[in-house]
Amino acid sequence: MDTGMEVFIFLAYAAGLLIIFLLAKFFAFSGKIIFKIVVNSICGGVILIVINLIGAGFGVHLPLNLITGFGVGTLGIPGIVLLYLVS
């Protein structure tokens, strides 16, 4: 994977987190809920990378592109489950 694509994936994660923050501000969620959503999104991104690194030996690969990065950045771990079920 080239560096340019990795930048776009990072931007997709960042955009997902930004949307979460904006929605939280708009609907005035408490800080505890925002923290849980952000932690879920970060865990989702890390797990996606780990699945691709470890799963390569087992033939498991989840694609990394703007759409999957945005989905996992927005949904977190449920986004990974959804991505796995779809692919």
Side-chain angles (χ1 to χ4, degrees), residues 2-4 14-15 30-31 35 39-40 47 54-55 60-61 67-68 74 78-79:
D2 62 1
T3 307
S30 70
F35 180 74
V39 168
N40 189 26
I47 290 172
I54 295 174
V60 176
H61 175 73
I67 295 171
T68 59
T74 304

Side-chain angles (χ1 to χ4, degrees), residues 45-77:
V46 170
I47 290 172
L48 181 63
I49 292 170
V50 169
I51 285 174
N52 281 334
L53 290 175
I54 295 174
F58 300 105
V60 176
H61 175 73
L62 296 175
L64 292 173
N65 55 38
L66 290 174
I67 295 171
T68 59
F70 182 76
V72 171
T74 304
L75 299 174
I77 296 171

